[in-house]
Amino acid sequence: MFNAVRFHQIPSNAGLGLELKVIAAAVVGGVAISGGRGTVAGTMLGLLLLGVIGPALTFLGFSAYWERAIEGGIILAAVSLDAIRDAIRVRSRSHAGIVGAQRA
């Protein structure tokens, strides 16, 4: 989007290879990997977090290889938290159903 504002012509393959980063930003921002839940603000925060990692590591003097490793760790943590949240939600629903059946 920023290149579209700055330049008169944009090559058709300008975003090639950025698909994983887009999905990663959405997942880190709170969009459920199974679909159906998420916000634009959360996705923007995920994009900001993943976008800041590279320059911050360069500024701190880390190798460029660490950027991908840390991004991968953040994505793994976000997917794990989403799975844990889903498991807790399913468990609480089934527990509420059992408690409701016992009361009736």
Side-chain angles (χ1 to χ4, degrees):
M1 290 295 275
F2 291 123
N3 285 339
V5 174
R6 290 178 33 197
F7 303 116
H8 296 289
Q9 291 181 328
I10 300 172
S12 61
N13 63 352
L16 194 64
L18 296 177
E19 297 88 1
L20 182 61
K21 285 192 178 235
V22 170
I23 294 170
V27 170
V28 169
V31 173
I33 209 72
S34 58
R37 296 183 314 272
T39 63
V40 174
T43 302
M44 291 301 194
L45 286 174
L47 179 66
L48 181 68
L49 175 67
L50 291 177
V52 168
I53 289 173
L57 290 177
T58 302
F59 179 74
L60 293 172
F62 285 93
S63 172
Y65 296 109
W66 282 104
E67 178 183 357
R68 291 201 180 219
I70 291 174
E71 282 179 0
I74 291 172
I75 294 166
L76 184 63
V79 170
S80 298
L81 285 173
D82 185 46
I84 291 169
R85 246 189 338 212
D86 282 345
I88 291 171
R89 189 174 297 125
V90 167
R91 183 175 290 161
S92 67
R93 284 183 187 164
S94 65
H95 181 68
I98 291 171
V99 171
Q102 288 175 351
R103 288 185 184 172

